Amino acid sequence: MIKFLRISSIYPAFLKEINNTIDRTENYNNILKTIFESKYSVSNFLSQELSKKNYECNEIIHNCSLIQNKWINEYGGTNKKKDILFEQIKFYDPDVLFLGDLKILKKLNIKTIKKVTNIKLVLCFHCAPFQKENLKEPINADAFITCTEGYKQKIKKNFKKDVLLMKHAFKPSDNDNFEIKETSRSIDVTFSGSLFLNHSLHLGRVKIIYDLMKKFKNNYIAVNFSKFFILEFIFLILKSIIKLKFFKDLKVFYKIIYIYLFCKKPIFGKNMHNVLKKTKILVNKHIEDTEYAGNMRLFESTGLGCLLMTDKKKDLEKLFVLDKEVVVFENSDDLISKINIYLSNKEKLLEIAKNGQKKTLSSHNYKNRVKQLDIFIKERISNEDI
């Protein structure tokens, strides 16, 4: 049996929601279970599937101080000043340490951890833009896992590590009703995503989100802003002034403020799933730095029966049949035109939505993804090592 420990983190906005809703009188395991039942992002779906393959799995959410303090009180003894994450890794003593992102890897002294544990393989999942300083630092993971071919190439080039390309996936809830009916879809258009102004990674979304809000009254536009939004917005203006582009950028600034004032609050996990179940068309826009398709929303939206309209990226055709299972758009004007076409052709809208859902449920599920992960792990750990 392979002992597997996954360490993940939670989006700050969702973390705030957890802190406001979790019953603090519950014990560590019950609180952790409640968080995973919320179906946020990857949840514990990898561990669930690996457990079926004779893995002993444990999960840690390292940036949730509520449950981390619960853990140290219940399992860590009397010294409350311990490095909780280090103590947890020693306690679970896994064969495979799976880190949810590069930030977690940077927090850990892997050489020291390996001296006091039986860890044989350190895997780091990373599917996000790389900061320049990240590319210069030594990386102590044994191998990487990522979700797009573009990030795979960058990791191989900069870190010289083995990389598993493992796409995101979707796992339905046990009580999900998968019959797609036009009558049960009361929202015409939904967008759910972030609009962070630093690094300009989300600026391509501004016009799209603004146009959706202005042109479709029956919408659900939920946007997650950084807690430093005001500072980021001021910095963006100052940067524009320095580059002598202020008057040219005025429309963009106006649209950002309009979105900030009139969009809905961000939604996560089950709350987002409930909105998508009522949605006819879900609009997806990748961040600016990626040439390749692969974000989580591709699979959440199709899995929950929306007609997915997504920006055109490389490898999308390897995931879905274009215009039969999903619809692609070139720019905001093209998107608005296609939304109007499909809203006026309900039969075609439902046909593509059903095809997309069928593809995701049959192909883009965690059972298939974990088959890849299991092979990747066992190629690096022999039975004699365990």
Side-chain angles (χ1 to χ4, degrees), residues 121-366:
L121 181 66
V122 177
L123 302 176
C124 181
F125 180 86
H126 189 80
C127 196
F130 286 91
Q131 303 298 323
K132 288 182 179 179
E133 58 269 22
N134 294 151
L135 300 176
K136 297 176 182 178
E137 296 173 350
I139 296 297
N140 291 320
D142 298 309
F144 274 84
I145 299 165
T146 191
C147 64
T148 74
E149 180 62 35
Y151 290 134
K152 178 181 178 180
Q153 292 172 8
K154 186 166 286 190
I155 292 167
K156 277 184 166 291
K157 178 182 177 182
N158 288 280
F159 302 140
K160 315 300 182 190
K161 302 284 185 178
D162 288 343
V163 187
L164 170 65
L165 177 58
M166 185 176 76
K167 299 288 186 179
H168 287 299
F170 173 74
K171 180 179 175 63
S173 300
D174 293 336
N175 60 349
D176 278 342
N177 181 4
F178 291 111
E179 186 177 3
I180 303 175
K181 295 180 180 179
E182 196 276 331
T183 53
S184 66
R185 302 272 163 169
S186 56
I187 303 168
D188 286 340
V189 182
T190 289
F191 174 89
S192 176
S194 296
L195 188 53
F196 295 164
L197 305 182
N198 58 329
H199 306 303
S200 302
L201 293 174
H202 293 150
L203 288 180
R205 296 177 177 178
V206 172
K207 178 172 171 51
I208 286 173
I209 297 171
Y210 177 81
D211 285 351
L212 292 175
M213 293 177 71
K214 296 293 284 187
K215 295 181 183 296
F216 301 99
K217 299 303 178 186
N218 183 17
N219 70 62
Y220 198 103
I221 309 299
V223 182
N224 178 38
F225 290 91
S226 163
K227 63 180 179 180
F228 304 111
F229 168 77
I230 299 299
L231 291 176
E232 290 174 358
F233 186 62
I234 292 171
F235 179 77
L236 193 67
I237 293 174
L238 292 175
K239 188 177 177 181
S240 178
I241 292 171
I242 292 170
K243 292 187 175 182
L244 304 177
K245 295 171 54 186
F246 177 74
F247 292 104
K248 183 180 179 181
D249 292 340
L250 266 177
K251 284 185 178 180
V252 176
F253 299 148
Y254 168 77
K255 289 174 182 177
I256 292 171
I257 290 298
Y258 181 91
I259 295 167
Y260 182 73
L261 292 175
F262 297 109
C263 72
K264 292 180 173 61
K265 293 181 179 180
I267 47 176
F268 306 96
K270 284 184 177 179
N271 290 334
M272 185 182 68
H273 286 201
N274 289 336
V275 170
L276 297 190
K277 290 175 187 177
K278 300 174 185 176
T279 295
K280 297 173 186 175
I281 296 173
L282 185 284
V283 175
N284 177 62
K285 176 75 169 68
H286 290 81
I287 59 176
E288 297 301 301
D289 90 316
T290 181
E291 298 178 62
Y292 291 83
N295 66 12
M296 180 74 81
R297 203 70 77 240
L298 297 174
F299 310 108
E300 291 169 327
S301 58
T302 50
L304 289 164
C306 306
L307 186 159
L308 169 65
M309 290 196 182
T310 186
D311 50 339
K312 195 171 184 179
K313 293 289 181 179
K314 292 180 181 177
D315 284 358
L316 184 63
E317 70 281 357
K318 295 180 181 179
L319 301 171
F320 298 99
V321 179
L322 306 188
D323 296 323
K324 290 187 177 181
E325 295 172 341
V326 301
V327 174
V328 295
F329 62 87
E330 298 284 349
N331 51 47
S332 184
D333 293 338
D334 184 41
L335 170 65
I336 300 304
S337 173
K338 286 178 176 176
I339 290 174
N340 283 318
I341 289 171
Y342 284 99
L343 286 177
S344 63
N345 189 340
K346 296 176 182 178
E347 289 185 2
K348 191 66 176 176
L349 188 157
L350 290 176
E351 178 188 334
I352 296 177
K354 288 178 180 178
N355 291 341
Q357 186 181 58
K358 183 179 179 181
K359 171 61 72 67
T360 290
L361 295 180
S362 62
S363 299
H364 304 308
N365 54 62
Y366 283 94

